[in-house]
Amino acid sequence: MSFILMTLIILAACAVLFTVAPLRKRLLTAPILKGFRAALPSMSETERAALEAGTVWWEADLFRGRPNWKGLTAIARPQLTAEEQSFLDHEVEEACRMVNEWQVNFKDYDMPKAAWDFIKQKGFLGMIIPKAYGGKQFSAYAHSQVVAKLSTRSSPLAISVMVPNSLGPAELLLHYGTEEQKNYFLPRLARGEEIPAFALTSPWAGSDAAAIPDFGIVCKGLWQGKETLGMRVTWNKRYITLAPVCTLLGLAFRLYDPDGLLGSTKDLGITCALVPHTHPGVEIGRRHIPMNTYFMNGPTQGDQVFMPLEFIIGGPKMAGQGWRMLMECLSAGRAISLPSANAGLAQLAARVAGGYARIRNQFKTPISRFEGIEELLARIAGYTYLNDAVRTLSAASIDLGQRPSVVSAIAKYHVTERARQVLADSMDIVGGKGICLGPSNILGLAYQQMPIGITVEGANVLTRNLILFGQGAIRCHPYLLKEMQAAQHPDRGQGLNDFDHAFWGHVRYTIANGARAIWHGLTASVFAGPGSQGPVEMRQAMRDLNRNAAAFGFLADITMLMLGGSLKRKERLSARLGDILAHLFLASCVLKRYEMEGRIREDADLARWCLQDCQVNIAQAFQGVFENFPNRFVGGLLRGLLFPWGITARAPSDQLGHRVAQLLANPGAARDRLTPICFVHHDEHDAVGAIEHALTAVLAAEPIEAKIRAAEKKGLFKSEPLANVRDIGQLAADRGIITAEESVVLKRRDTLRDRVIHVDDFPFEIHAASAESAAPPASAASLHARAA
């Protein structure tokens, strides 16, 4: 009896402790907050701005372990307006026809002047600028479509259009510019009268962009003949796209006010300014050569260049606000630019590799039927389908009003990495033709260029190891950011109240997440179903995703609880957790694409291949976290709780891979849906056009080839010595085995097939020519004349 009484007293005391807020705060929350503050790593203003920038969206549902499939399904399929569709069908097609990649990169070292004039006059550089300022005011989806299509034709063309519509002067002016700046610069940018560039990266500050050493000193100086309050700016930037030909240079630097001319603050912080290229002291014109791709990219310098404070974007009141401006605008551009460009490259490679594999015969068999080639084709098709799914949903999020900092990082990393794999696999398929550069080599230059997308806008290794989970955990978690903000609140009383609310909410959230994750583990996700949401044929995959999301949410919480601030230094552990979150998102994009496109039966195999591939990557990441958890006992315990029957995921089967590969190797609606944005020139002498014509010719010739093979098996040609395997076609026509019309079909097939497998060759003096071309392509003056 006394035991029962004691138990009741303890329970009553606990109830009072937890339910009486003042008591709970003093006895429990305050000591916990003190320990939390001690464990919390210091955070600079630049780190705070980066963490708090942008919004969270669907990825937050995944992180919290409870995906809202109904909400995802309710997102409408992105649609182009009539104006946007017309622009894609006409202006974009024409721009693609105007540019030849070989001519740009190996002869002229620049796009043709006619192409430059066309993209400026037709508004390509002002797609994000509102109509009120003379721009196109295209949706993010239309912007993405344009960049993706241009990328299937020419990287210099796509990049020259992509950069002015990404993070740069136009984007910053729209959000932060003064009315005077907007009214002057935006119409000029929309008309192509100004070519913008934005200079952020310095030799000593690449991925750590906040550490830029470029600086400005607030001072007085002469401007337009009058003494003016301004700043002397010194900078040394590199890797700046369009810098060699820009007329309007956006510049990021740290601004100091040692004499207190603007107030008491000495270090004002990172500041963004717009500087005309003709301003005294601005140095541009020299060029980098990024992987033999001659888009305009180069350094810019300036030493003690005086400029008025009015050059600051937003005017003097925005001095020191540059990092916040950049972080708030970064996610929109990063969610569109590189995912679109690399999804386009993947579609080009997929269409070329699939067609080539069907056209190219070895051992009297199309190489597309060899199992080794099928394995590559299946991966190419799967990654191409997934990349476009991610690109589309990421762009759609922008049009829904989101600024998805985590989604944009996932899209940038995984689309570029998968595009790199698609190109590597495609190069394996085209073989020797792919490694000999020339006008007829479609993939060689694209393969060379792949490291550019991997490196820029945050190197992929940094993105995976530090950003995907590091930023994702803080932004997507329902309580963690609130706890951090409460711990750093200047008002200690308010901080305690805020922390009390966030912390105990966090406790309830973790317990609920853990219970759900353990239950789904014990029941092998049988009861983790999405209900009536989603395609019936995909619901098992959705159950598995629900179960993995719950396990991830709980695992992430326990990991952060045990490691605290030291998790920043456990980069490989953070990377694996980021892999889980990212692949949950990628799988969601695949399901959304399959749903949006009408659950086409023929495409179900593509969706299944992608989902199974994502599940395998999720399983490997979970395994890696448990095996490398700092506390091995806790790692083993978590594995046993969350996956009591083991971590299992089935890779795509050979049969599934065969079906997916053949979708890519045979012309038809499925192949066209897989590469919907790919520019295909109708000229059979064009490198891509030749593959399309040859593919049609090969299929037309197959019944005729079958007749000849049957006659050959009967021994009808044994007495005839053949100088060439093709002589058999003429011999069959001479003997009446095939008709004259059928002979013409075979000859056309042979002509087009020869064109496809042709490898370019050059005069012996090619090395001398290359040495000459290695000199600087043009002076700064001639470059500006060309772009003007």
Side-chain angles (χ1 to χ4, degrees):
M1 189 71 179
S2 59
F3 174 76
I4 296 174
L5 182 61
M6 183 62 68
T7 301
L8 290 174
I9 292 172
I10 293 172
L11 289 174
C14 290
V16 170
L17 185 61
F18 281 100
T19 57
V20 178
L23 198 60
R24 183 185 66 240
K25 290 177 188 177
R26 187 170 72 253
L27 298 180
L28 291 178
T29 308
I32 293 170
L33 175 57
K34 183 178 180 181
F36 187 85
R37 283 186 176 128
L40 190 66
S42 60
M43 186 184 303
S44 66
E45 284 302 315
T46 53
E47 287 178 308
R48 189 191 309 278
L51 284 174
E52 296 179 357
T55 60
V56 293
W57 183 52
W58 169 250
E59 74 277 21
D61 277 11
L62 296 170
F63 190 97
R64 296 167 189 180
R66 302 193 73 171
N68 179 10
W69 296 108
K70 185 177 181 180
L72 184 66
T73 303
I75 297 172
R77 182 178 183 178
Q79 299 288 342
L80 298 177
T81 65
E83 180 189 0
E84 291 167 344
Q85 187 65 60
S86 175
F87 189 82
L88 195 67
D89 293 342
H90 298 98
E91 283 85 349
V92 176
E93 286 273 329
E94 182 60 27
C96 288
R97 283 190 289 269
M98 296 176 78
V99 176
N100 178 288
E101 190 83 332
W102 178 258
Q103 187 80 18
V104 169
N105 290 305
F106 284 87
K107 292 189 176 182
D108 296 338
Y109 309 109
D110 190 8
M111 292 194 303
K113 184 179 185 301
W116 272 112
D117 290 342
F118 184 80
I119 64 173
K120 289 190 286 186
Q121 293 164 7
K122 296 298 182 179
F124 280 81
L125 307 187
M127 290 190 293
I128 66 170
I129 296 175
K131 291 181 182 294
Y133 298 102
K136 293 291 183 184
Q137 199 172 339
F138 279 175
S139 65
Y141 179 61
H143 176 186
S144 175
Q145 292 285 90
V146 171
V147 171
K149 188 159 196 171
L150 294 176
S151 297
T152 68
R153 182 60 174 177
S154 165
S155 289
L157 173 61
I159 292 168
S160 299
V161 170
M162 178 178 80
V163 168
N165 291 288
S166 185
L167 177 62
E171 176 87 356
L172 294 171
L173 281 168
L174 282 170
H175 291 93
Y176 308 105
T178 65
E179 288 303 312
E180 183 180 2
Q181 289 171 338
K182 291 179 184 178
N183 291 331
Y184 179 77
F185 287 116
L186 290 176
R188 295 173 62 81
L189 288 165
R191 293 191 298 265
E193 294 173 16
E194 302 278 9
I195 298 180
F198 191 81
L200 176 62
T201 305
S202 298
W204 296 101
S207 296
D208 184 14
I212 52 175
D214 314 284
F215 66 93
I217 305 294
V218 178
C219 62
K220 293 182 179 180
L222 287 179
W223 170 244
Q224 296 179 341
K226 298 179 181 178
E227 186 178 65
T228 304
L229 185 61
M231 48 196 173
R232 292 197 180 276
V233 184
T234 297
W235 71 91
N236 178 20
K237 306 287 192 179
R238 62 182 182 183
Y239 312 142
I240 311 305
T241 299
L242 295 182
V245 295
C246 78
T247 61
L248 185 63
L249 179 66
L251 195 60
F253 54 91
R254 184 170 287 276
L255 185 61
Y256 298 93
D257 184 16
D259 297 327
L261 298 177
L262 296 180
S264 59
T265 304
K266 304 299 183 184
D267 181 356
L268 296 172
I270 293 174
T271 300
C272 296
L274 290 179
V275 188
H277 77 285
T278 54
H279 190 75
V282 174
E283 297 178 26
I284 58 172
R286 294 188 65 82
R287 295 175 65 177
H288 300 310
I289 305 176
M291 304 303 291
N292 276 350
T293 309
Y294 284 86
F295 62 92
M296 289 295 167
N297 183 278
T300 174
Q301 296 89 23
D303 184 24
Q304 298 290 311
V305 177
F306 181 79
M307 56 188 76
L309 293 178
E310 283 69 26
F311 278 17
I312 295 173
I313 297 175
K317 71 178 186 298
M318 296 302 288
Q321 299 299 308
W323 188 248
R324 178 175 62 84
M325 293 159 60
L326 293 172
M327 289 300 99
E328 289 176 353
C329 291
L330 174 65
S331 57
R334 191 165 58 179
I336 296 172
S337 300
L338 288 170
S340 302
N342 283 269
L345 273 177
Q347 288 190 34
L348 171 66
R351 199 165 183 97
V352 168
Y356 186 91
R358 189 66 179 79
I359 293 163
R360 182 69 160 142
N361 272 28
Q362 294 288 277
F363 310 106
K364 298 182 180 180
T365 304
I367 65 171
S368 63
R369 295 176 185 163
F370 294 179
E371 288 196 356
I373 299 297
E374 278 193 344
E375 183 179 1
L376 301 180
L377 286 174
R379 187 161 57 217
I380 291 169
Y383 284 179
T384 300
Y385 185 87
L386 183 147
N387 274 2
D388 213 54
V390 174
R391 171 188 76 88
T392 301
L393 194 59
S394 298
S397 73
I398 305 296
D399 287 328
L400 290 171
Q402 300 291 333
R403 290 190 167 275
S405 54
V406 180
V407 161
S408 64
I410 292 172
K412 189 271 177 181
Y413 175 84
H414 283 279
V415 172
T416 56
E417 288 293 344
R418 278 165 173 74
R420 171 156 62 176
Q421 187 63 58
V422 165
L423 278 162
D425 289 341
S426 299
M427 287 287 286
D428 284 349
I429 289 172
V430 299
K433 179 180 173 66
I435 63 174
C436 296
L437 294 178
S440 66
N441 184 340
I442 306 163
L443 299 180
L445 279 173
Y447 181 74
Q448 274 191 331
Q449 296 160 12
M450 270 314 301
I452 299 171
I454 299 294
T455 302
V456 301
E457 291 197 20
N460 277 10
V461 65
L462 171 79
T463 301
R464 176 174 177 261
N465 283 274
L466 295 180
I467 295 177
L468 294 186
F469 184 75
Q471 186 177 29
I474 295 172
R475 291 311 314 273
C476 296
H477 196 286
Y479 297 104
L480 186 57
L481 183 58
K482 295 175 183 177
E483 289 168 338
M484 293 172 67
Q485 291 169 335
Q488 296 177 333
H489 201 291
D491 183 334
R492 289 296 177 114
Q494 186 60 49
L496 178 61
N497 288 335
D498 293 346
F499 187 82
D500 180 74
H501 182 268
F503 178 78
W504 295 110
H506 190 162
V507 170
R508 291 189 294 272
Y509 160 82
T510 302
I511 293 171
N513 230 4
R516 186 169 57 255
I518 292 167
W519 170 247
H520 289 332
L522 286 169
T523 57
S525 74
V526 170
F527 300 104
S532 60
Q533 298 302 316
V536 174
E537 61 273 27
M538 300 296 168
R539 285 187 188 161
Q540 180 56 52
M542 295 172 77
R543 279 193 289 271
D544 291 338
L545 290 173
N546 279 347
R547 184 256 184 99
N548 283 327
F552 169 72
F554 184 66
L555 175 62
D557 249 330
I558 298 302
T559 302
M560 290 185 289
L561 174 66
M562 294 202 63
L563 299 183
S566 67
L567 184 58
K568 287 178 66 174
R569 298 186 295 275
K570 299 290 185 183
E571 292 180 24
R572 281 174 284 197
L573 196 67
S574 176
R576 294 183 184 104
L577 290 165
D579 288 343
I580 300 170
L581 176 61
H583 283 93
L584 288 169
F585 178 76
L586 301 182
S588 305
C589 293
V590 170
L591 286 166
K592 181 59 181 173
R593 177 177 182 178
Y594 181 68
E595 175 79 26
M596 281 195 310
E597 294 182 352
R599 307 182 185 184
I600 300 170
R601 183 184 298 274
E602 204 174 10
D603 293 349
D605 282 337
L606 277 165
R608 288 192 189 95
W609 192 98
C610 293
L611 291 169
Q612 290 176 18
D613 183 70
C614 286
Q615 295 285 21
V616 167
N617 280 284
I618 289 170
Q620 289 174 345
F622 269 122
Q623 188 75 28
V625 171
F626 295 138
E627 290 180 353
N628 294 277
F629 207 80
N631 186 312
R632 300 301 296 272
F633 172 77
V634 173
L637 179 62
L638 286 169
R639 176 176 175 164
L641 287 172
L642 298 175
F643 296 94
W645 314 116
I647 302 174
T648 58
R650 188 174 63 180
S653 68
D654 293 347
Q655 291 82 3
L656 178 59
H658 165 75
R659 296 196 300 270
V660 168
Q662 292 311 309
L663 292 177
L664 189 57
N666 291 288
R671 182 170 181 259
D672 292 339
R673 284 193 302 272
L674 191 56
T675 57
I677 204 68
C678 196
F679 172 77
V680 178
H681 208 301
H682 297 298
D683 183 359
E684 66 182 44
H685 294 279
D686 177 81
V688 177
I691 288 178
E692 297 300 310
H693 285 278
L695 187 55
T696 302
V698 163
L699 294 177
E702 282 186 346
I704 306 169
E705 284 278 7
K707 286 185 182 182
I708 296 174
R709 294 280 176 262
E712 192 175 17
K713 287 180 180 179
K714 293 178 181 178
L716 298 182
F717 304 120
K718 278 187 177 179
S719 60
E720 299 290 341
L722 300 176
N724 189 292
V725 69
R726 295 183 183 179
D727 294 345
I728 197 170
Q730 184 60 52
L731 189 59
D734 293 342
R735 295 192 172 187
I737 296 170
I738 62 173
T739 66
E741 291 79 7
E742 289 174 327
S743 178
V744 170
V745 171
L746 285 183
K747 288 178 180 177
R748 174 162 173 75
R749 185 274 315 271
D750 291 343
T751 298
L752 290 169
R753 190 163 62 187
D754 282 350
R755 192 171 293 153
V756 168
I757 66 175
H758 168 73
V759 174
D760 299 294
D761 54 68
F762 301 89
F764 182 80
E765 294 79 12
I766 184 172
H767 293 295
S770 296
E772 291 175 15
S773 68
S779 67
S782 66
L783 290 171
H784 272 290
R786 189 164 196 172

